[in-house]
Amino acid sequence: MSDEQAALLSEHDKATGVLTLTLNRPARKNAIDGPLWDLLHGALSEAGHDPEVRALVLTGAGGAFCAGADLSGGVKGGHPLTRMRGINEVALLLHELAVPTVAKVSGVAVGAGWNLALGCDLVVATPESRFSQIFAKRALSLDFGGSWLLPKLVGLQQAKRLALLAEMIGAEEARSLGLVTWVVEAGELDGFVTDLANRLAAGPPVALAQSKALLNENADRTMRDALASEARTQTINFATTDTPAAFRAFLDKTEAAYTGEWGVPSTDDK
C-alpha cells in the first residue's frame, strides 16, 4: 500500500455488513488533499455497488475527524471549477449512497470536513468535538453541500450565522441545533457507533434505502409528490422477501433476518 493509498483506510466486516472508512492523515488533522478526494470517490462508488455493504461508518484517525480541504500547498494547477466538480461528485456519492451512513466524530470537523459529516445520515460526536463552517476565515464560500444542508438542518437564520461568522462551536451546541445526533463520552464512542452501525446493517436494506431516499428527495417537494413517492416505494417493499418476513416475525414474536431479496416469482419460475 502506497502512502497515498494509506490516507484512506477501509475495513469491511463481512459478518455484519458494516464498512468503515477512516481518513488517515493525522499529521494534517485528516485534511483532504487531491489524492484523498480521489480515494474517497473510489471507495464510496465501490460501496454503492457492493451488495454486501449494509451500513457505512466514516471517521478520522489520530483524534480528529477532518480539518476540511488541505490548502497547505496553495491553489493547485488546473481550472478551479474542474477541481470543484470532482469534490462535488464525492458529496453526491455520499448523499445518494443507498445504505445508512454514520459519521463518527472526535476532535475537529471544520469546513468541508464538517459538511462531510453532515452528509452522513447520523452524526455521533464526543463532548470534546468542535465544529466550524470555517470557509469565511479563508475568504471562501460554503462548499461540499453546506449551502444545501445547513438551511435544511438548522433553518436559514442559523445557517447564515454559522456561515458568515465561521464560529467554532462545541458538540452540545451542535446537537441542540440538530447538527449532531448523539454526544457520547470519548471512551464510549467506538462501542456506541459499532452497536449503532450493526443495528442499521441488520435492518431491511431495500426499505431503509427507500426511506432514506424519500426523506432526501421529498424535502423540496409538495405533499402530493411525497405521497406518490411513498406509494411507489411501499409497493417495491411488498415485492421483497423482507416484508413478509417482518410480518411473520411480528406474529411469532421473533427477530426477522433481512436480505433485501426480490420476492416476486419471475416468468422463468413458472
Side-chain angles (χ1 to χ4, degrees):
M1 180 185 295
S2 69
D3 290 342
E4 286 187 355
Q5 290 173 321
L8 182 67
L9 305 179
S10 177
E11 181 180 357
H12 187 189
D13 186 338
K14 296 292 185 69
T16 63
V18 176
L19 172 67
T20 300
L21 298 179
T22 303
L23 306 178
N24 188 37
R25 301 184 74 219
R28 300 294 306 162
K29 294 186 178 179
N30 303 316
I32 307 176
D33 60 3
L36 183 48
W37 283 122
D38 292 340
L39 289 172
L40 273 172
H41 187 286
L44 292 172
S45 180
E46 184 176 339
H49 291 89
D50 187 347
E52 294 188 0
V53 173
R54 299 280 292 262
L56 173 75
V57 174
L58 189 59
T59 191
F65 181 76
C66 178
D70 190 347
L71 304 176
S72 61
V75 177
K76 306 299 182 182
H79 199 290
L81 185 57
T82 301
R83 294 196 302 275
M84 286 308 304
R85 283 173 178 159
I87 292 172
N88 289 348
E89 288 177 4
V90 178
L92 283 174
L93 282 169
L94 179 61
H95 177 70
E96 295 176 352
L97 199 64
V99 301
T101 55
V102 180
K104 181 168 73 171
V105 180
S106 60
V108 296
V110 301
W114 190 8
N115 292 336
L116 181 67
L118 294 179
C120 294
D121 302 315
L122 303 168
V123 179
V124 186
T126 71
E128 296 77 27
S129 301
R130 296 293 181 267
F131 305 87
S132 174
Q133 293 290 327
I134 202 168
F135 301 97
K137 293 185 178 179
R138 305 290 182 262
L140 296 169
S141 53
L142 300 173
D143 65 19
F144 207 79
S147 64
W148 187 86
L149 290 163
L150 284 172
K152 286 176 170 52
L153 292 169
V154 303
L156 184 58
Q157 190 174 75
Q158 286 293 341
K160 288 179 177 178
R161 167 215 161 184
L162 293 168
L164 301 182
L165 296 176
E167 299 169 320
M168 188 75 75
I169 66 172
E172 283 297 343
E173 182 174 3
R175 187 183 64 82
S176 70
L177 289 170
L179 298 167
V180 165
T181 321
W182 294 279
V183 177
V184 300
E185 294 298 325
E188 302 172 3
L189 182 64
D190 288 345
F192 184 95
V193 172
T194 296
D195 177 69
L196 172 63
N198 289 345
R199 286 160 54 200
L200 292 168
V206 174
L208 294 187
Q210 292 187 107
S211 287
K212 174 175 173 174
L214 284 169
L215 291 168
N216 285 339
E217 295 166 5
N218 289 336
D220 296 319
R221 294 182 179 178
T222 66
M223 179 68 155
R224 185 177 297 275
D225 291 335
L227 290 171
S229 296
E230 290 174 1
R232 182 190 72 250
T233 57
Q234 206 69 290
T235 301
I236 295 171
N237 290 326
F238 279 111
T240 70
T241 59
D242 287 345
T243 301
F247 289 171
R248 288 194 300 271
F250 173 72
L251 293 174
D252 297 340
K253 295 181 173 55
T254 59
E255 293 291 330
Y258 298 115
T259 65
E261 294 178 356
W262 189 248
V264 177
S266 68
T267 54
D268 295 335
D269 297 330
K270 294 181 180 179

